[in-house]
Amino acid sequence: MSVNRFIGRCMITLIMLTFFTSLGFSAEGDPARGKALFIGNISFEEGGAPCLACHGIAGVGFAGHSNYGPDLTAVHENFGAEGVAGILQSLPFPSMEAIYINRPLTEAEQLDLAAYFSQTSQLSVVPSNAILALQVSCLVIAILGITFLIGLRRMRATRQPLIDNQRNLVNKGGLQ
Amino acid sequence: MMDLILFGVFPYVAMTLAIAVGFYRYCFDRYSYSSQSSQFLESRTLFWGSVPWHYAILLILSAHLLAFLFPSLWGSLLGAPGRLYLLEITGIALGVVTTIAMLVLLLRRASNARVNVVTTTIDWVLLISLLLQVITGVYIAITMRWGGFWYVHTVTPWLWSLVSFSPKIDFLVNMPFVVKLHAVNAFFLVALFPFSRLVHVVSIPLAYVTRPYQLVIWYRQRNNQL
Amino acid sequence: MNIRAQVSSVFHLDKCIGCHTCSIACKNLWTDRKGVEYMWWNNVETKPGTGYPTQWEDQQHHQGGWQKKGNDLQLRMGSKGASLGRIFHNPDLPTMDDYYEPFTFKYQDLTNAPAGDDQPTARPVSMVSGKPIKIESGPNWDDDLSGSNIYAANDPGVLQLSEKEQQQMFAIEKMVMFYLPRICNHCLNAACVAACPSGAIYKRGEDGIVLINQDKCRGWRMCVSACPYKKTYYGWTSGKSEKCIHCYPRLEVGEAPACFHSCVGRIRYLGVLLYDADRIEDVAKLEDTELAAAQRDMILDPFDPRVQEEALKCGIAAEVLEAAQKSPTYKFVKEWGIALPLHPEYRTLPMLFYVPPLLPVISKETLNVQKLADDFFTSLEKARLPLKYLAGLFSGGNEEEIKAVYRKLIAVRIQRRNTTVGDMSAEEAQKARDIAGVDSDMIEAIFRMTTITSIKERIVIPPMLREQAIEAGMDTETYKQEMGFGKRQPPKRRW
């Protein structure tokens, strides 16, 4: 049926159009700027929280192991470009609502972030909790070590050692 | 409704109590405005509690305060992954240290017969809330990284909304339970401040640095005084 | 010149019999409360001995008093900044174990115990925790233990001596001891005042009494560490420091302080001294050995018309000036020069002076009759108490100071021996006077003051002029927290 075919073609064109426009948009986003926005080097125009505050990502060192929200390294792979764009536009999660409802991401920011996400998919996430734990333990030990050093200056008990010394001498039979 | 009471009303109650009772106690019972140290009764264990506790908690509190007072400065400070990570692990380590120190202090109060004598019910309430506060703090810092970063965009606006008398509790309503607990317990501690030996936090004797060593007070007017 | 008056004291150690009546009078009056049971604002120590708290004289250990830092004077415990940094835990605070844990006995058990085969006993219990304790220390635990291996041998002053001198001090039948009663020295350059972060400790301008404002005290405990004499104490229930107040409420109504009043041996003298407050810092910076003399030097002569004129200008009342002229402490310290400050090397310029002990009489025994040794005053160096030990106590190590005092004391003794017993010749007395550099009149005056004077001459309390105090004519609100008025609550923690 020609009508059906026509409609079908139209649909395909529409989809193609959407696809190409989306491709065209993503080509406009700047991944470097997206990264800067993600880590908070550049603040969002409306003042929303930088993504790294809660979301982990590969490629920014140890700091990329945020774990409040889900890791976004593979977000592009999992949701596709459209999915990502949709999410960035509305950020429809209850815990994020309060933060972004009055401070949405601008369109340019959305594009930059999307561009950044499309790059991070290739990176692999390294599990870091062990390293984090190790480093924190080292710091704790260091702080306690400093405390110990401060403690060296403390005055010791005075009377008891005098008595103990004498007892030791008597026990050894040295003195009566 | 509960959320409104906890995050919209209770902070005001706590602050009002802290200021009103704090002033009352300062004006009418200044004698009791101290920490009532028990170092004289037990010194060795106290050292391992008091020193790490105070220094670590001061640093942690000043980070909380800085992020509240200067959010944009704090935001740009954390805007580099290296700095963010360094600050966060330092914060976590300090938090762990405060937890250890508070456990030491609690055990000391419980186990030392002499110190036990000078411990009142409100002391236990205070110490246990402090322990709860540092444990929830460390838990948040570890399991909800990076707290130092999202604090600026959730807690800071909430606190400022409280300051401007238009509480926006949305910021906290959707937070996990432990964060809510941390926030409510923080204001509980504020409320506890004027009733406990926590009053000593406002008696930091900084004027000592500038005053002369010797103090002489005359009870009589001297002839040569103008 | 900035002349100030100071209520000062002299303790004549030759007369102290170590009866502790002073301590008890003080305790009953001021420290008979919960939380301060362990405090002895007045205590009597046996020397040689470790004292109370244990080895308080060892400033390497206790970090009390001042030290010279280049050209400056600094508290030994550290600078002001360092002190604030240690506010969360004072590293130099002795604990209760270094004083003693106060105890009582369960006397009720004696009457309440059920009938049985055994005699009921009253077990000792701690006055802190209420639990049974093994008493291992107490007030004056080392009383009269001058031969003790624990206490006398660990006297920081004895540890300074050579091995030979130490052996000599503890030799059988030559063992020697004396008593050292101690109260707050009400120092001119008080370390406790300087160390108080809250600024709660102050010196009263009119009489120089050092007091702690209990409402301003925040219990940082720095005064306890800073005082080299360990005469400020921490009240463990109140969370405040307390110290000897020189019984100022008694002084203000013309009564002698309780310890002075009750002294059986009448060893205590009290009177006003005038001094130049501008010189405090310079004097405190001198060498250890110069301190005792310099301190004597800064005391002004109340008979000098120029001093009188200046004193009046500086606001010292004429009545106080009159009291200063009658002051027995002025005679002992300045006129006769036989009273020395305790440990002047702590540089706090203490205003309590001691006449060092001459006892036991340097004597030889022939046929059970005590006779004075032949080389009675030439052999000071052979004295049982090494001069070095006494110099360490009273003159910052300057033996000449001690010798000068002893020569005078010996001259008094010989002259009086000549007058009353007659077994020593007038020539001998003259010789002793020449060596000491004193005349007969002074010797008679010293003799009189140390023996037969009444309390009115021994204790000359200046009029405190409370009727002129600021609160009589000023708005008390303005001076609240400064002078001790406006107290509306009993000093008890309710929070």
Side-chain angles (χ1 to χ4, degrees), chain C residues 330-433:
Chain C
Y330 176 75
K331 296 191 177 89
F332 270 112
V333 178
K334 183 90 174 179
E335 210 177 299
W336 304 332
I338 55 172
L340 296 168
L342 178 64
H343 286 298
E345 75 273 17
Y346 300 158
R347 298 169 193 284
T348 61
L349 308 189
M351 278 289 130
L352 162 57
F353 300 87
Y354 292 88
V355 179
L358 193 55
L359 281 173
V361 177
I362 306 162
S363 63
K364 62 177 182 185
E365 199 173 300
T366 42
L367 299 170
N368 293 331
V369 180
Q370 288 281 330
K371 274 202 79 181
L372 291 169
D374 303 330
D375 46 1
F376 187 72
F377 44 75
T378 50
S379 68
L380 260 183
E381 291 71 12
K382 287 188 202 160
R384 285 197 201 173
L385 272 169
L387 283 178
K388 195 174 164 194
Y389 178 76
L390 289 160
L393 273 178
F394 299 114
S395 62
N398 187 342
E399 289 184 30
E400 289 309 312
E401 283 283 342
I402 290 283
K403 276 188 201 164
V405 172
Y406 275 144
R407 290 197 180 109
K408 287 176 193 167
L409 294 178
I410 288 168
V412 174
R413 206 169 261 181
I414 293 180
Q415 173 159 328
R416 290 307 302 170
R417 185 107 188 163
N418 168 257
T419 315
T420 53
V421 183
D423 65 342
M424 303 212 60
S425 67
E427 289 76 47
E428 275 176 301
Q430 180 61 46
K431 194 175 155 205
R433 283 201 299 273

Side-chain angles (χ1 to χ4, degrees), chain C residues 106 109-110 113 119-123:
Chain C
K106 287 170 105 176
D109 288 0
L110 296 178
Q119 185 83 2
T121 52
R123 287 177 78 190

Side-chain angles (χ1 to χ4, degrees), chain A residues 117-140:
Chain A
F117 290 140
S118 67
Q119 287 187 348
T120 54
S121 299
Q122 288 105 47
L123 303 168
S124 57
V125 187
V126 187
S128 74
N129 281 345
I131 299 172
L132 182 83
L134 185 73
Q135 286 169 333
V136 167
S137 323
C138 287
L139 274 173
V140 169

